[in-house]
Amino acid sequence: MVVIDERGLILSFSAAAEKMFGYIEAEVVSENVSMLMPSPYREEHDSYLENYRDTGVRKIIGIGRVVTARHRDGFTFPIELSVGEARVDGSRIFTGFIRDLTERQQTELRLQDLQSELAHVGRVSEIGTLASSLAHELNQPLTAVTNYCETARDLLSEQPDAETLGIVREALDDAAKEAVRAGQIVRRLRDFIAYGETERRVEHLPRLINEANALALVGSREHGIEVEVKLDRSASRVIVDRIQIQQVLVNLIRNAIDAMLDSRIRALTIRTRTESNGFVRVSVCDTGGGINEEIAGQLFQPFVTSKESGMGIGLSICRTIVEAHGGRIWFEPGRRGGTEFHFTLPDAGADDAG
Ligand code: ADP
């Protein structure tokens, strides 16, 4: 606690304040309290007091606020300040109750770290379930590259004429294309499971969706899933951590595919649209069997699953990620049967450059 008089001069300085600011009471009594503040507040504080004396308008008294304080050693730290007013022996004094928020700020940072670690664990486990499909997906272009190269080698073993050389060139072109395709699969995978700092920036939503879709649909070709992507052109810029939102999409799409394996009609629809409140809505809709009623109420809780080999952490991580972005996630029965999952993301608005 720090008590000041009407002019801002310190009257008393508690032992806790001594520890917090690094001064002993004798050094600060009768000094201007502005010495405990960084610029520009340091220079302006006298006028705050004057204003209050002249107008009686309370800007902080009885309200409380998070402000920045300055330690004797010059560093600043966040505090929560509540100011009270009292009359003692006919003169006015102000009492400041101060709480150091450094620790709380550190806790929040730690929470953010934990959240991104959790998200990372989720991605690694998701890729674990995709591993054999991915191996298969990679094998296809690699086999093709082998075939093209072997064909080219055989064609070159005798004196090739111009036509043969043309075929060889084509085969090598095709081999290069297949190698690029394999490289893309590896790059997407590497990005997806990389452990990086959470980084939010303006991202192009359609690109983000297409990439996530490519990863999520790995190995699902044989299930004959019909995929439709309906994108709202005005909902194309969002402020997100790309990898984390792709993780949400991969999760929802994989769940949708799982849900449709027993259905006759297997239609997956991914839709976007702008909401009126500064958010963009993304929806993943399926024609599966719908949500199991027994677990519908706790779907977003961890370890809730209806699958034999399910971990039940996918949707809880999705919720953590979406809420950390300021959005929300929910589900409802689909219009054509099945289920629709929706989530919202902060809209970055239209591109100024058009
Ligand atoms: P997991 O997929 O490992 O079970 P999730 O948290 O992703 O974990 O999903 C939890 C449960 O929610 C699933 O087991 C399933 O019962 C249900 N669920 C999720 N998505 C769908 C969907 N599209 N259709 C029907 N049920 C779903």
Side-chain angles (χ1 to χ4, degrees):
M1 186 169 91
V2 179
V3 183
I4 60 173
D5 69 9
E6 224 173 350
R7 291 165 299 163
L9 304 184
I10 297 176
L11 297 173
S12 88
F13 201 68
S14 73
E18 287 184 335
K19 237 167 97 192
M20 200 184 286
F21 288 93
Y23 293 103
I24 56 166
E25 187 174 28
E27 285 175 294
V28 295
V29 162
S30 301
E31 295 295 328
N32 194 315
V33 69
S34 63
M35 72 187 288
L36 305 177
M37 309 165 193
S39 294
Y41 314 104
R42 177 182 273 248
E43 292 76 25
E44 289 170 0
H45 191 257
D46 285 347
S47 68
Y48 297 161
L49 279 171
E50 230 167 82
N51 255 346
Y52 177 59
R53 264 200 317 264
D54 295 348
T55 65
V57 177
R58 299 182 152 198
K59 294 260 172 70
I60 187 158
I61 296 168
I63 301 169
R65 228 190 251 175
V66 174
V67 295
T68 308
R70 184 173 185 278
H71 188 271
R72 179 190 197 141
D73 293 343
F75 66 85
T76 57
F77 56 101
I79 58 167
E80 194 171 276
L81 172 65
S82 344
V83 179
E85 184 183 348
R87 282 207 170 262
V88 177
D89 300 333
S91 43
R92 182 147 58 173
I93 60 164
F94 299 105
T95 50
F97 287 95
I98 300 165
R99 201 155 67 90
D100 187 346
L101 294 180
T102 312
E103 206 169 300
R104 194 170 86 189
Q105 230 176 25
Q106 277 164 354
T107 311
E108 273 165 17
L109 281 178
R110 177 83 192 113
L111 266 179
Q112 248 174 34
D113 279 354
L114 278 176
Q115 188 244 322
S116 65
E117 262 169 50
L118 173 71
H120 182 245
V121 168
R123 290 201 293 278
V124 172
S125 100
E126 185 78 37
I127 290 300
T129 67
L130 281 178
S132 72
S133 311
L134 271 166
H136 182 70
E137 186 94 356
L138 261 179
N139 235 347
Q140 287 177 336
L142 292 179
T143 310
V145 170
T146 313
N147 289 342
Y148 286 127
C149 290
E150 282 175 355
T151 309
R153 181 200 56 204
D154 293 347
L155 287 172
L156 291 175
S157 63
E158 284 144 38
Q159 282 296 327
D161 55 20
E163 191 189 347
T164 313
L165 279 179
I167 300 174
V168 168
R169 200 167 295 124
E170 239 172 72
L172 290 177
D173 261 353
D174 288 341
K177 276 187 207 136
E178 291 294 334
V180 168
R181 206 181 113 200
Q184 275 170 348
I185 297 172
V186 173
R187 180 185 58 78
R188 245 182 254 134
L189 190 65
R190 203 184 42 204
D191 282 359
F192 193 72
I193 52 175
Y195 184 72
E197 294 286 304
T198 319
E199 204 182 356
R200 284 188 210 151
R201 45 169 95 172
V202 176
E203 296 283 355
H204 188 241
L205 186 58
R207 205 190 96 203
L208 191 155
I209 290 177
N210 285 332
E211 281 184 4
N213 215 357
L215 198 56
L217 290 171
V218 157
S220 65
R221 217 164 307 160
E222 69 251 37
H223 302 310
I225 310 259
E226 207 183 288
V227 185
E228 193 179 10
V229 182
K230 292 182 181 167
L231 301 177
D232 177 348
R233 285 172 61 98
S234 64
S236 63
R237 285 161 36 97
V238 286
I239 305 167
V240 298
D241 179 285
R242 177 173 62 91
I243 297 292
Q244 290 196 352
I245 296 307
Q246 288 187 327
Q247 175 175 6
V248 172
L249 280 161
V250 168
N251 236 303
L252 296 181
I253 296 170
R254 298 295 304 177
N255 276 346
I257 295 172
D258 283 349
M260 293 192 288
L261 293 182
D262 294 330
S263 306
R264 207 169 43 81
I265 299 175
R266 298 175 187 173
L268 172 73
T269 313
I270 300 168
R271 231 181 286 127
T272 61
R273 71 170 213 215
T274 36
E275 304 265 272
S276 49
N277 54 1
F279 280 84
V280 164
R281 182 200 286 205
V282 183
S283 309
V284 176
C285 315
D286 65 60
T287 54
I291 302 290
N292 182 322
E293 265 179 34
E294 278 173 27
I295 57 169
Q298 320 131 48
L299 223 53
F300 292 101
Q301 314 252 336
F303 309 119
V304 171
T305 180
S306 64
K307 300 174 193 170
E308 228 162 76
S309 59
M311 283 258 281
I313 56 168
L315 286 178
S316 76
I317 293 177
C318 288
R319 184 170 73 175
T320 309
I321 292 175
V322 170
E323 289 180 355
H325 280 78
R328 65 190 192 98
I329 180 166
W330 72 102
F331 64 89
E332 57 196 25
R335 275 165 265 179
R336 293 195 289 163
T339 314
E340 300 190 349
F341 275 86
H342 308 277
F343 63 95
T344 56
L345 298 173
D347 190 350
D351 186 352
D352 290 336

